[in-house]
Amino acid sequence: MALPPSKSKLRDYLTSAWRTDPAERRLVRKIDFFILTFCCLSYFLNYLDRSNVANAYVSGMKEDLGFQGNQLNQINTCFTVGYVLGQIPSNLSLHYVKPRVFFPAMMVGWAALTMLTAATRSPQAIMAIRFFQGVAEASTFVGTHYVLGSWYTERELGKRSGVFTASGLAGTMIGGFIQSGIYASLDNRHGLRGWRWLFLVDGIITLPVAVYGFLLFPDTPATTTAPYLTAAERALAVSRLELHDRAVEPAHGAAYEASSSASSPDHDGNSQPHSNKDASDTSPLTWTFAKTVLTSWEWWGFVVLWTIAGETESFSSNSLLALYMKTPPSSSSSSSSSSQQPAYTVRQLNDYPTGVPAVGIASTLFWAALTDFLGGKRYLVGYFIGATGVATSAMVLAAQRMVERAPGGGAAEVEVGRATAVVFAAYYWAGAVYACQATFFAWANDAMRRRREPVFRSVVLAGMNLGSNAVNAWWSIVFYGASMAPWFTKGMYAMIATSVALAVWTAGLSYVSSRAERLSRKHGGTCLSSGDGRAAQVENQHDTTGG
């Protein structure tokens, strides 16, 4: 698929002018609407649910339920454990259950659990509920990245991944405003505190989105039965990815067949797409398949990458700015918490931290678009995140020293004010690290789609999130416990180390990935992973383990 010459690469990218086939334009517009609306709404609600625990905590839940010590972190850990356990089973379930059924079913499950949280009377009850919510919500993030990688070409994927990731951050950002609005309008209405109303509203608004997904989500190109796609469009959805992959890997043996050959007549004589890369009746649950995955560079390279990168998001994912505000530094020369009343109102506690995901949205969309425009150079984000992590943690450490060294009296108040400004700036800037979500998962999709069957790709994507959350389950307690507020000193040094490690690992992975790409082209597109000798034949044997 040759791309036409252009006078403005940026204009062509932003307007998709390089896509000259009118039929392909119509197809992409349709799948953009139906895939992105459902996936973005579900991820928005997913993150709204996650952020609302912290919002409820600072809006009265802590006092009403008698939280002590690090129980908020323990609740987050229970969620994370469930989330980790659900990762690979959720993505493998897409091999057996259509996404159109599986995704909405999981949404109904977590909506019910969210509403149940409104009736809890102890932190322990919330811990139990959050564990099962983690299992249900595990389906959304990596499952969507798998679906996006099944529908979109390398030139399209980063932008869509960025829009999807930004929708989750919007849930975090808007969650604060929703909580402050509910607290103002519904607190003590019908005998329920405002934070309890928050969980009820959150669960109720999830249900219509689940119904929408069940009726109109298009599954994957080879399995779609969406009524708004014609038979020709279903065939094109399959063939255009194959043609694109040939265009970016010109050394693959023979050329792909024309798009008409990517379909076959069904029982009614209509043209239907067939692709064993997207669907197969063969189960992937074999020891050979497991060995192929676990001995591949893709598994270890991308799982470790996201395990490290996930911890650079700790400033934002653990609501450190909200906890800083909930336990403001003392105006004395020590860094202990003030025994006076909190300096911030409930509205401020919910509204001010929304600047963090706002920065994350801007950063995510910028880097997703830029790395698409630069031809898929996703690794650049790793260096940006590394520099950001070192700088922002150093700013918080500097602010802590400003307060500790401040003299008594009015001068101390001035230093606390300056330190607070530095802390706010650091946490807002740290929101930019969210850019690695879209770009790193797009990088993994890019690296595997042309050389690996989809079920392999789905397991690696799930493994990335599994590794990250397995570490985060204990990382947040060790380095960012609520009792460590407001400074989280150990966490700042952990952030510096993690950021440096991310930059180093990104450099190594980009080298290995580029080398594998060169070898793949040299050997006609076969997969040349180390470990299982049969792995080199996996991509050419699509009928062994469909996705």
Side-chain angles (χ1 to χ4, degrees):
M1 181 183 291
L3 300 177
S6 172
K7 295 181 180 180
S8 173
K9 290 176 63 179
L10 177 60
R11 182 188 63 195
D12 282 1
Y13 170 74
L14 295 176
T15 63
S16 297
W18 52 270
R19 194 184 295 114
T20 58
D21 183 0
E24 187 177 9
R25 282 178 174 270
R26 287 193 298 271
L27 170 65
V28 174
R29 281 197 296 266
K30 285 184 179 180
I31 61 178
D32 274 347
F33 179 81
F34 288 103
I35 291 178
L36 291 179
T37 52
F38 172 74
C39 290
C40 289
L41 283 171
S42 64
Y43 198 44
F44 169 86
L45 294 168
N46 194 299
Y47 253 72
L48 183 65
D49 170 66
R50 298 188 204 183
S51 65
N52 279 347
V53 172
N55 293 332
Y57 181 82
V58 299
S59 303
M61 185 175 73
K62 175 183 177 182
E63 292 78 12
D64 290 350
L65 301 188
F67 275 72
Q68 297 180 355
N70 292 329
Q71 285 184 319
L72 175 63
N73 302 89
Q74 292 166 9
I75 286 174
N76 293 335
T77 295
C78 289
F79 176 89
T80 301
V81 170
Y83 195 72
V84 167
L85 294 178
Q87 290 296 305
I88 291 179
S90 289
N91 255 24
L92 282 178
S93 295
L94 298 176
H95 180 78
Y96 302 99
V97 183
K98 287 186 175 183
R100 180 176 62 85
V101 176
F102 186 71
F103 288 156
M106 294 298 101
M107 291 187 70
V108 171
W110 92 57
L113 290 166
T114 299
M115 289 185 282
L116 182 61
T117 307
T120 54
R121 300 297 174 185
S122 68
Q124 291 75 17
I126 299 180
M127 292 177 193
I129 291 172
R130 296 297 288 179
F131 170 81
F132 292 104
Q133 275 191 285
V135 174
E137 294 186 19
S139 61
T140 303
F141 182 74
V142 293
T144 297
H145 277 292
Y146 167 72
V147 170
L148 293 177
S150 299
W151 282 97
Y152 292 106
T153 67
E154 183 176 312
R155 194 167 187 178
E156 302 163 340
L157 185 58
K159 185 161 53 177
R160 274 77 181 178
S161 297
V163 171
F164 167 68
T165 301
S167 68
L169 297 174
T172 301
M173 182 177 67
I174 295 175
F177 294 115
I178 292 176
Q179 173 62 38
S180 60
I182 288 176
Y183 187 87
S185 60
L186 293 177
D187 190 34
N188 291 321
R189 182 71 61 87
H190 301 295
L192 293 180
R193 292 297 307 275
W195 65 267
R196 295 187 187 273
W197 278 110
L198 176 67
F199 292 113
L200 288 174
V201 172
D202 188 8
I204 290 170
I205 63 178
T206 301
L207 298 177
V209 179
V211 174
Y212 169 67
F214 178 76
L215 294 176
L216 295 173
F217 193 73
D219 295 316
T220 58
T223 63
T224 184
T225 57
Y228 47 83
L229 294 179
T230 66
E233 287 173 331
R234 295 172 195 172
L236 179 60
V238 174
S239 62
R240 79 186 194 99
L241 294 180
E242 296 176 338
L243 291 169
H244 170 81
D245 289 348
R246 282 296 180 183
V248 297
E249 292 201 33
H252 286 196
Y256 278 113
E257 298 175 346
S259 61
S260 60
S261 67
S263 61
S264 58
D266 62 11
H267 295 300
D268 298 323
N270 297 319
S271 177
Q272 295 290 338
H274 67 79
S275 172
N276 288 326
K277 291 176 71 176
D278 275 324
S280 171
D281 292 331
T282 304
S283 173
L285 301 179
T286 65
W287 286 114
T288 299
F289 174 74
K291 183 179 179 181
T292 299
V293 172
L294 294 175
T295 56
S296 67
W297 70 266
E298 293 99 333
W299 170 268
W300 294 106
F302 287 109
V303 169
V304 174
L305 175 74
W306 187 240
T307 299
I308 299 172
E311 299 318 316
T312 64
E313 296 181 348
S314 291
F315 282 8
S316 305
S317 62
N318 287 288
S319 305
L320 299 195
L321 180 55
L323 292 174
Y324 174 88
M325 295 170 63
K326 184 73 173 178
T327 314
S330 173
S331 59
S332 67
S333 59
S334 70
S335 61
S336 62
S337 301
S338 173
S339 60
Q340 301 173 357
Q341 292 297 318
Y344 302 96
T345 66
V346 170
R347 177 174 288 276
Q348 290 171 330
L349 288 168
N350 284 285
D351 289 354
Y352 288 178
T354 59
V356 177
V359 173
I361 290 172
S363 178
T364 294
L365 294 177
F366 171 79
W367 281 103
L370 180 63
T371 55
D372 265 0
F373 179 69
L374 295 177
K377 296 180 180 179
R378 322 284 186 195
Y379 57 85
L380 294 176
V381 179
Y383 304 132
F384 167 74
I385 300 304
T388 296
V390 172
T392 53
S393 53
M395 290 171 66
V396 175
L397 290 172
Q400 180 183 3
R401 290 189 176 90
M402 290 170 61
V403 174
E404 290 176 342
R405 296 174 181 175
E413 295 291 343
V414 172
E415 288 301 304
V416 169
R418 291 176 178 174
T420 297
V422 172
V423 169
F424 268 72
Y427 284 132
Y428 284 160
W429 180 10
V433 306
Y434 274 124
C436 61
Q437 286 191 15
T439 50
F440 284 172
F441 277 83
W443 186 7
N445 265 315
D446 292 343
M448 291 182 286
R449 188 176 57 209
R450 294 192 299 273
R451 297 187 298 272
R452 292 291 193 180
E453 75 280 15
V455 70
F456 180 100
R457 178 167 54 88
S458 73
V459 170
V460 172
L461 292 174
M464 291 169 66
N465 231 24
L466 184 155
S468 173
N469 284 279
V471 172
N472 197 51
W474 54 267
W475 191 274
S476 61
I477 293 177
V478 173
F479 295 111
Y480 303 109
S483 61
M484 301 177 188
W487 296 117
F488 308 98
T489 305
K490 290 196 301 183
M492 298 304 126
Y493 288 109
M495 182 68 159
I496 292 174
T498 302
S499 300
V500 172
L502 176 63
V504 172
W505 192 265
T506 297
L509 182 59
S510 63
Y511 170 78
V512 172
S513 179
S514 298
R515 181 174 179 272
E517 183 81 10
R518 292 193 300 269
L519 291 175
S520 177
R521 293 182 178 185
K522 180 179 179 181
H523 291 82
T526 54
C527 182
L528 299 173
S529 296
S530 61
D532 188 352
R534 286 165 292 191
Q537 303 173 3
V538 169
E539 181 62 19
N540 294 326
Q541 295 177 344
H542 301 315
D543 58 344
T544 58
T545 59

